[in-house]
Every structure is written in C-alpha cells, then in structure tokens.
C-alpha cells in the first residue's frame, strides 16, 4: 500500500467527524461552564460517553480525536499572538497545537495495537491504561491536558484510582459486551472527602478585579492612572475595615522595587491593611514576575516558580529559542523562575504564593497547602475559554489537595474556590 493511500485513509469524512464528536463530548463541560451552566449529571454523562466512544475507536479516529481536542481545549493558546502583532499566526498556532495532540493520540493507539499483537492483552485495556497516564506527558512543558479533569464537576471523583475504575469498567463492558460491568463505575463516586468540610470565613478579604487590556497595561502613559486606581481601591478597603486586599498579576507593569516612593506609600498603608499585589521585580541581574506582600509596614517578595512556556520562557533548545524570541518577542530576555515555591503568613494564616499558570501546576501543591493566593492576568488570552478552563483546573487541584484558593484576576472574574466549589 502506497504512503499516499495510507495517509488518505486518515482523512475520510467519517474518521474526521467521529473524532470531532468525541472531542466535543470531552470539551462539553468546559464550554457549558463557559456559558454559565454547570450540571453534575450532564457532565458525568458527557465524560462517560467520551471514554466509551474513544476506547472502541480505531487509531485513525484516535488521531482525529486528539487533533480536535487540541483545537477545542487549547485554541486559546495562540490568541496571545495578536498582542505581539502577529494575528496571522493564530491559525498556524492552533494547527500546530492540534497536530501535536493528534500525534500523541495516534501514538497511544499504535502502542495499544502493537501490544495486542505481541501479547494476549487486548488493546482496549492498553488504551485505557495509556489514557490513565497520558497526563504525565507535558508537550513543551505544558501540563493542562488531564483526561480525568472532565469529571471535575461531576458525580465521579478526580483521583487517579477513581479514573482507573471508570476506564476499566468501560473497557471491560466493551470487551465482554456486557453492560452490567458499567456498575463498577459506582465505586468511583467520591463517597467521602478527607478535608475539613467546615464553612469558609471570607470576612475581611477583598479580591480586586480589573479589566485592563494588555495594550493599556503596558502603555507607560497610562501607568499613573493605574497606580491611582490601585491606591483608591486600597483606601476604600481601609474605610470598609477590610483586613486583606489582593490585586491581580502585574497590576503594576513595571519593576516596583525600583520605585522607592511607591514602595514607601504602600508600606505606610499596610499598617492599616495587608496588600498583596502583582508587579515585576529586578534584582540587579534578572527580571522576575512577582507578588509583593505589604503588611505592618514591611514587605516581602515572592517570585514565580513555574514559568509559562513560550510566554515567560522558551522551552526549546537555546539556539532555536533565541531565534523565536528575536522574531516574535523583539529579543526580550526570558523571565527567571524562583528555585522554590514561597509561603507567607498573614494574620497567622499561611498562604502558598502562585502567579497565574503555576497555580495549575502540580508542583505548587507539594505539601498539600491549606490556602493559596493566586494572582492572574488573563488579558493575554482573552476573549477565550481559557479563564473557564483555568478555573476548572483550580477546582480540580482544590478537590485533590484540599486547598482553598483565593484568585484575583485581570480580564475575567475573581473568585474563591473552597474544596472544589467556586464561591463568587
């Protein structure tokens, strides 16, 4: 069979549309949430149907399922190109992302097919196992694809062992052609929660929200106006007798520690209220994306530990990364990550510091932090579904580690997540 025919077999209407429908089912919970509707029963059904149809599909459908998952889940990654003056690159970026996930899924299907030929293990169960572990694969250091995430807002638990039960039950049902095996899925229901279920006291905490575009944020002429708005919000919070005010990432889009007058004014105000605010930090050698914590007349700086691939650092080999930085980012140097995550204490309560992308990284949840303050700037990738997907991922980690998350955001709503549930 010629290479042309082999490739052509992957591009039939049936294979493409079947892959699209599977991907659409997998993304259903994300888009329904984006539309403002969350239903545990519907999300459970969508997730189960995704796995049911995917596990029995052939390798050609697996390729297209991965391709369309790359599109439907992650098209927003390329939206940032418009902020760098390259809107024409958006469809190219979407195509590259989709193709990467398409080949990841094709590779999984081929591995399952190979193992079935060489061993007595049916490929159904190999596919199930590969879906269980694919979340450990991070293309270009991007770790947002977690298949079990589809059950975040559902009647099925999000732990690996619960996802394994669901996959095994569906694979066994398809293999034995006996629907009764689906009953095993009941074992994946989250019957208990190991975390303290007491209500959360949010009294005295202000999550500041802003709607400043990237263009305006980095406009030097508008910086005085941005500073004025921040101080107005702090003074209002003090008048309302609030304890803490949390601002989004890079509210001050400059090196705050090089502005002694601003630093002095913020330290003075921190005698009346604790201020958590995002800004850049310059240590004399490298630039960092940081959180500044002002309290009781003092300040602390917590630097970002997990950087955004391509957004804050380039994960490619240096020679290629330097070339891309020169073409797309005007040769700007990469940010430098902190060697470790930072915890800080406010009024006797310890919070894990997290800035945007890193809050969706497993690394930030080492030690099961009870509380986390997250600051984000979603202006780079809006309008899109990214803020919704980010929120679902934070719910996922909150459920998994019992972490209460206080999230202050620019260009999308701010919120609190307590044991996986969003508190507006």
């Amino acid at each position: 069979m010629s290479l042309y025919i082999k490739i052509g077999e992957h591009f039939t209407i049936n294979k493409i549309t079947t892959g699209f429908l599977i991907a659409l089912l997998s993304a259903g919970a994300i888009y329904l949430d984006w539309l403002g509707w969350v239903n545990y029963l519907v999300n459970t059904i969508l997730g189960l149907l995704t796995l049911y149809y995917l596990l029995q599909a052939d390798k050609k459908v697996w390729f297209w399922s991965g391709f369309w998952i790359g599109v439907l889940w992650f098209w927003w990654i390329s939206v940032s190109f418009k902020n760098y003056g390259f809107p024409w690159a958006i469809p190219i970026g979407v195509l590259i992302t989709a193709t990467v996930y398409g080949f990841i899924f094709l590779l999984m299907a081929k591995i399952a097919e190979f193992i079935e030929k060489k061993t007595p293990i049916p490929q159904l169960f190999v596919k199930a196992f590969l879906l269980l572990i694919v979340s450990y694969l991070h293309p270009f250091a991007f770790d947002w694809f977690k298949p079990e995430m589809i059950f975040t807002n559902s009647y099925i638990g999000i732990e690996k062992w619960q996802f394994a039960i669901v996959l095994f039950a569906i694979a066994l049902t398809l293999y034995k052609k006996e629907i009764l095996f689906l009953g095993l899925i009941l074992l994946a229901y989250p019957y208990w929660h190991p975390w303290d279920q007491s209500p959360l006291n949010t009294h005295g905490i202000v999550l500041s929200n802003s709607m400043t575009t990237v263009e305006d944020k980095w406009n030097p002429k508008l910086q005085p106006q941005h500073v004025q708005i921040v101080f107005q919000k702090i003074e209002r919070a003090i008048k309302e007798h609030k304890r803490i005010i949390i601002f989004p990432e890079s509210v001050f889009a400059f090196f705050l520690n090089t502005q002694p007058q601003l630093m002095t004014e913020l330290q003075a105000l921190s005698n009346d209220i604790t201020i958590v605010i995002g800004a850049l930090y310059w240590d004399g050698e490298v630039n960092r994306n940081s959180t500044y914590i002002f309290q009781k007349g003092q300040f602390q700086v917590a630097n970002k530990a997990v950087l955004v691939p391509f957004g804050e650092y380039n994960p490619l080999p240096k020679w290629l990364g330097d070339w891309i930085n020169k073409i797309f980012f005007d040769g700007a140097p990469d940010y430098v990550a902190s060697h470790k995550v930072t915890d800080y204490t406010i009024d006797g309560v310890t919070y894990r510091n997290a800035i945007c992308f890193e809050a969706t990284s497993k690394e930030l949840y080492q030690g099961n932090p009870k509380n986390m303050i997250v600051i984000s700037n979603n202006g780079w990738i809006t309008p899109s579904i990214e803020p919704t997907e980010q929120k679902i991922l934070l719910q996922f980690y909150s459920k998994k580690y019992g972490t209460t998350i206080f999230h202050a955001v620019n260009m999308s709503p701010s919120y609190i997540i307590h044991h996986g549930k969003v508190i507006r």
Side-chain angles (χ1 to χ4, degrees), residues 208-213 216-219 222-231 233-234 245-256 262 266 275-280 289-292 355 375-377 408-411:
S208 178
N209 186 245
S210 57
M211 297 298 289
T212 307
T213 65
D216 287 346
K217 179 176 288 293
W218 297 95
N219 185 344
L222 295 178
Q223 284 182 359
Q225 179 182 334
H226 298 159
V227 171
Q228 182 182 13
I229 291 172
V230 166
F231 277 87
K233 289 183 176 182
I234 293 172
I245 183 167
I246 305 168
F247 289 92
E249 175 188 13
S250 61
V251 159
F252 290 148
F254 50 81
F255 298 108
L256 179 57
L262 275 179
L266 289 166
I275 305 163
V276 179
I277 193 164
L280 302 183
N289 190 358
S290 304
T291 303
Y292 289 72
I355 302 176
I375 59 174
S376 293
N377 174 23
V409 194
N410 176 54
M411 289 302 288

Side-chain angles (χ1 to χ4, degrees), residues 63-280:
F63 170 80
W64 286 110
S65 296
F67 181 92
W68 290 116
I69 283 173
V71 173
L72 294 175
W73 283 49
F74 303 126
W75 61 269
W76 51 265
I77 294 175
S78 300
V79 170
S80 61
F81 280 124
K82 70 180 175 64
N83 293 305
Y84 292 107
F86 301 101
W88 55 265
I90 292 176
I92 298 174
V94 173
L95 182 61
I96 291 173
T97 303
T99 303
V100 168
Y101 281 95
F103 278 109
I104 288 174
F105 272 66
L106 178 61
L107 178 62
M108 288 194 291
K110 281 183 171 291
I111 290 172
E113 189 179 76
F114 175 80
I115 291 177
E116 183 179 57
K117 289 179 180 178
K118 299 295 182 179
T119 72
I121 304 174
Q123 65 172 291
L124 267 173
F125 296 99
V126 181
K127 287 177 178 177
F129 176 74
L130 292 172
L131 284 175
L132 181 66
I133 66 172
V134 71
S135 62
Y136 296 113
L137 180 64
H138 305 154
F140 304 112
F142 183 71
D143 61 351
W144 275 34
F145 182 61
K146 304 181 187 300
E148 58 268 40
M149 183 183 121
I150 61 179
F151 294 117
T152 300
N153 291 310
S154 77
Y155 292 118
I156 291 174
I158 48 83
E159 297 290 348
K160 279 291 184 185
W161 65 267
Q162 292 167 316
F163 190 48
I165 288 174
V166 173
L167 288 167
F168 178 74
I170 295 175
L172 193 60
T173 299
L174 292 169
Y175 183 67
K176 293 289 188 179
K177 295 181 173 56
E178 177 52 69
I179 197 170
L180 291 177
F181 287 113
L182 286 178
L184 292 171
I185 293 174
L186 294 174
L187 298 174
Y189 179 83
Y191 290 98
W192 69 92
H193 301 278
W195 316 113
D196 178 17
Q197 295 300 305
S198 57
L200 178 67
N201 180 13
T202 61
H203 179 71
I205 299 177
V206 178
L207 289 178
S208 178
N209 186 245
S210 57
M211 297 298 289
T212 307
T213 65
V214 169
E215 182 180 2
D216 287 346
K217 179 176 288 293
W218 297 95
N219 185 344
K221 295 180 180 179
L222 295 178
Q223 284 182 359
Q225 179 182 334
H226 298 159
V227 171
Q228 182 182 13
I229 291 172
V230 166
F231 277 87
Q232 288 174 347
K233 289 183 176 182
I234 293 172
E235 290 166 359
R236 186 184 311 124
I238 291 173
K239 288 180 181 178
E240 295 173 355
H241 306 289
K242 302 298 184 180
R243 297 182 298 110
I244 307 170
I245 183 167
I246 305 168
F247 289 92
E249 175 188 13
S250 61
V251 159
F252 290 148
F254 50 81
F255 298 108
L256 179 57
N257 63 308
T258 66
Q259 304 291 323
Q261 182 178 345
L262 275 179
M263 292 290 291
T264 300
E265 292 175 359
L266 289 166
Q267 286 178 262
L269 288 170
S270 73
N271 288 305
D272 298 313
I273 188 172
T274 296
I275 305 163
V276 179
I277 193 164
L280 302 183

Side-chain angles (χ1 to χ4, degrees), residues 299-358:
F299 76 92
Q300 177 184 355
V301 179
N303 297 316
K304 192 171 186 178
V306 181
L307 301 179
V308 182
F310 295 106
E312 293 174 320
Y313 86 103
N314 202 310
L316 298 174
K318 189 177 187 306
W319 66 270
L320 183 57
D322 289 344
W323 180 78
I324 289 179
N325 281 353
K326 183 178 180 180
I327 296 297
F328 290 101
F329 307 116
D330 295 325
D334 291 344
Y335 285 96
V336 176
S338 171
H339 295 300
K340 60 180 181 179
V341 298
T342 303
D343 292 334
Y344 53 85
T345 302
I346 300 175
D347 297 335
V349 178
T350 300
Y351 297 89
R352 174 66 49 86
N353 179 67
I355 302 176
C356 202
F357 173 80
E358 66 178 350

